[in-house]
Amino acid sequence: MNTTLPFIVTGGPGSGKTTLLESIECEDTQVFPEVPRQLIIEQSQIANGILPWVDLSGFAELCFREMLTQKHAALDSPLTFLDRAIPDICAYLSWGNLEIPQHIALEASSGYQQLVIFCEPTLETYVQDEIRPYPFEEALAIHKKLYALYESMGYQIVSLPLLPIKERKALLSSICREYLRAV
């Protein structure tokens, strides 16, 4: 197994992924930001921008291009984390009852560590806003779809409990370093 492959940190919207990943970025760790959130911000500022609640397939293609670039760039660091990754696109398309294009499914199945870190949204972490317009119950449904998709693709899932950020950060680091020592 390639120990330089990136780790995916994922889970339902509003689960504290971004906050956690922002807290761990340092000299020996590279973190790639969440693509869908950034694209929603960008596309919201364009007339007829491509947004997931209007054109999920088109938005998925935008995400795919950016996430593929991240995936390749992540190979340059010894310990890399992605805030969501290409398998998430598959889950969102599935959640929207849309077909998963073959090129996306192919890229989703390799090029990542087999261990995936999941964060679950809680009432404590979830904030509904313009970029996250769904109610909490829908965020949980998305989380379950993501979990099922990753599991069906054969990824090993570790659920990271909600803890104070320093403890959550230490647990994430410990889990990933232990996993890398074992492979």
Side-chain angles (χ1 to χ4, degrees):
M1 165 138 324
N2 187 340
T3 58
T4 63
L5 295 175
F7 283 98
I8 299 169
V9 178
T10 191
S15 59
K17 300 176 300 295
T18 300
T19 301
L20 172 64
L21 290 173
E22 287 173 349
S23 79
I24 66 166
E25 194 164 19
C26 62
E27 289 177 17
D28 68 339
T29 303
Q30 184 172 11
V31 174
F32 286 86
E34 181 182 350
V35 168
R37 188 170 186 83
Q38 187 58 43
L39 286 174
I40 290 170
I41 292 168
E42 291 171 11
Q43 292 295 311
S44 294
Q45 297 172 2
I46 301 170
N48 300 315
I50 301 170
L51 296 167
W53 41 86
V54 176
D55 179 4
L56 184 55
S57 293
F59 188 77
E61 283 297 331
L62 288 177
C63 287
F64 175 72
R65 288 193 293 266
E66 291 296 319
M67 288 177 164
L68 187 59
T69 299
Q70 281 187 345
K71 180 180 174 181
H72 292 297
L75 299 175
D76 294 335
S77 275
L79 185 56
T80 306
F81 294 92
L82 301 173
D83 189 340
R84 299 200 178 282
I86 294 171
D88 287 51
I89 298 170
C90 299
Y92 273 86
L93 287 170
S94 176
W95 179 68
N97 296 314
L98 297 172
E99 187 173 327
I100 300 167
Q102 187 175 5
H103 67 284
I104 293 177
L106 183 64
E107 286 293 337
S109 65
S110 65
Y112 302 106
Q113 295 293 346
Q114 286 299 297
L115 179 75
V116 175
I117 308 300
F118 260 80
C119 298
E120 183 173 347
T122 66
L123 288 172
E124 189 175 337
T125 59
Y126 187 75
V127 176
Q128 188 173 355
D129 58 24
E130 291 177 2
I131 295 169
R132 206 181 288 130
Y134 9 79
F136 176 71
E137 295 73 23
E138 200 167 332
L140 280 178
I142 292 168
H143 177 81
K144 290 175 184 174
K145 181 59 90 172
L146 285 161
Y147 195 99
L149 184 281
Y150 274 90
E151 196 171 52
S152 75
M153 293 184 80
Y155 285 100
Q156 178 185 346
I157 298 171
V158 172
S159 292
L160 203 62
L162 180 62
L163 299 166
I165 195 68
K166 284 186 177 184
E167 292 175 38
R168 205 175 202 200
K169 174 181 165 179
L171 182 57
L172 174 66
S173 179
S174 172
I175 289 168
C176 293
R177 292 185 192 283
E178 185 178 314
Y179 174 79
L180 290 174
R181 278 193 294 274
V183 295

